Amino acid sequence: MLKRISTLVVAGLTAAALAACGTGGSGGSGGTEGGGGGGGDAIVMGFSQVGAESGWRTANTKSVQEAAKEAGITLRFSDAQQKQENQIKAIRSYIQQKVDVIAFSPVVESGWDTVLKEAKDAKIPVILTDRAVDSADTSLYKSFLGSDFVEEGKKAGQWLVEEYKDGSDTVNIVELQGTTGSAPANDRKAGFAEIIGADQKFKIVASQTGDFTRAKGKEVMDAFLKAQPDIDVLYAHNDDMGLGAIEAIEGAGKVPGKDIKIITVDAVKDGMQALADGKINYIVECSPLLGPQLMDLAKKVVAGESVPARVVTEETTFTQEQAKEALPSRQY
Ligand code: AHR
């Protein structure tokens, strides 16, 4: 199954691929190679990452890179800078390079069928990691490793229902959504809406994308605060947007965690610190440490072994007290 390619061909194809990916520059998707010793019979994995939009993503990239090294897998890594077209280019370049396996975290859910079919026709197995695609033909990929984002949204909603169980006044909620069209934004929104929808006192008064970034979270929260005089709760689809929103809330002279209750998703160190400090009220964990499981799956699919179609990451939730306890040993 492993392909041996002469040094000359590798050099040529790598150069072509990197040109296609637009390495290094600020507008392109950088390509790097690491781990595995880079030769012999080592499995070669092409990995297309979403970007570097959040603390979660940085931790995820580190986990994948370290796990590849540990597993002796040669990793060809590219950063799509949150653009689907960059991911499609990267996947096509991995197909050209005849890597042994392709893994990627799809920035959005739709629009992958053509490139996934190209990989299938080239007999290169694909593993989805972190985010799903909406392709009806599930034979286009071998496995999907990642969180249950609907469940994460439900957990956020359940905390809110419990928090306001004794009141009957309207609870005005603003929502900072993740990247438009991405699986975590779609699913976290749906899971949350399903739970709070059972009680009419919960009202989402504004909902907009903050693209999973701190800067956009602040910008959109600034606008929410100007347009909405009476916000009780902020639900942010990740910590980074929540942290940006905290700056906006403080800038407006309000106290985050008290005047406006805040629920976020991820549980990265900065988010956990804000939770321990009382600025966030509750965090639903989404683990970025997918590297080791991804490498195990890759070894199996390259060896032709069967793997589960879905591998769900185990996750928890954190209150302010639990964050204080967990912070000292938090890895990311
Ligand atoms: O797909 C996982 C999400 O992507 C994380 O929750 C978010 O922080 C990241 O950008």
Side-chain angles (χ1 to χ4, degrees), residues 23-254:
T23 58
S26 59
S29 55
T32 53
E33 179 154 333
D41 283 340
I43 292 171
V44 178
M45 172 187 282
F47 185 91
S48 170
Q49 180 59 289
V50 168
E53 73 281 4
S54 62
W56 189 99
R57 190 63 55 197
T58 308
N60 179 247
T61 293
K62 190 164 173 258
S63 171
V64 169
Q65 289 174 334
E66 286 178 357
K69 208 167 188 185
E70 183 70 19
I73 289 179
T74 300
L75 188 70
R76 297 196 183 151
F77 180 91
S78 60
D79 171 343
Q81 301 191 347
Q82 296 239 68
K83 291 200 176 79
Q84 182 175 32
E85 75 236 39
N86 287 342
Q87 286 201 297
I88 291 175
K89 269 187 212 164
I91 293 168
R92 289 207 165 115
S93 83
Y94 294 142
I95 295 171
Q96 262 194 318
Q97 292 168 54
K98 299 186 181 356
V99 299
D100 297 301
V101 56
I102 292 171
F104 78 115
S105 175
V107 60
V108 291
E109 284 190 284
S110 305
W112 299 102
D113 288 26
T114 305
V115 74
L116 287 178
K117 176 116 193 353
E118 289 167 24
K120 190 177 175 187
D121 290 346
K123 300 197 178 2
I124 299 176
V126 172
I127 301 171
L128 303 178
T129 168
D130 163 36
R131 297 183 182 179
V133 298
D134 65 2
S135 304
D137 180 359
T138 53
S139 77
L140 295 176
Y141 53 90
K142 297 287 180 193
S143 186
F144 165 36
L145 162 68
S147 309
D148 182 338
F149 297 133
V150 176
E151 192 54 35
E152 290 173 351
K154 284 185 184 174
K155 287 179 188 168
Q158 279 151 0
W159 180 83
L160 198 62
V161 168
E162 180 62 23
E163 183 70 7
Y164 285 91
K165 67 173 186 297
D166 297 329
S168 56
D169 292 353
T170 301
V171 179
N172 290 325
I173 304 163
V174 294
E175 180 179 33
L176 281 168
Q177 297 179 38
T179 303
T180 304
S182 69
N186 293 342
D187 295 353
R188 287 174 187 164
K189 183 172 182 52
F192 183 75
E194 186 188 320
I195 299 297
I196 63 162
D199 187 338
Q200 293 208 336
K201 73 173 181 248
F202 295 112
K203 216 171 140 205
I204 298 185
V205 292
S207 180
Q208 210 178 300
T209 183
D211 217 8
F212 281 129
T213 68
R214 213 176 273 215
K216 205 76 202 293
K218 179 176 185 306
E219 185 188 313
V220 177
M221 190 69 202
D222 268 330
F224 283 166
L225 286 159
K226 282 184 188 120
Q228 302 291 337
D230 187 18
I231 300 171
D232 299 304
V233 173
L234 162 67
Y235 169 43
H237 290 188
N238 80 345
D239 288 345
D240 280 80
M241 292 188 295
L243 292 164
I246 286 172
E247 289 177 34
I249 293 167
E250 288 176 334
K254 291 182 189 270

Side-chain angles (χ1 to χ4, degrees), residues 1 43 298-305:
M1 183 74 192
I43 292 171
K299 283 183 177 173
K300 286 185 179 146
V301 297
V302 171
E305 292 172 29

Side-chain angles (χ1 to χ4, degrees), residues 256-273:
K258 291 205 165 59
D259 295 336
I260 297 179
K261 293 197 174 151
I262 302 178
I263 313 165
T264 64
V265 183
D266 275 357
V268 296
K269 243 188 190 151
D270 288 355
M272 293 285 273
Q273 187 62 59

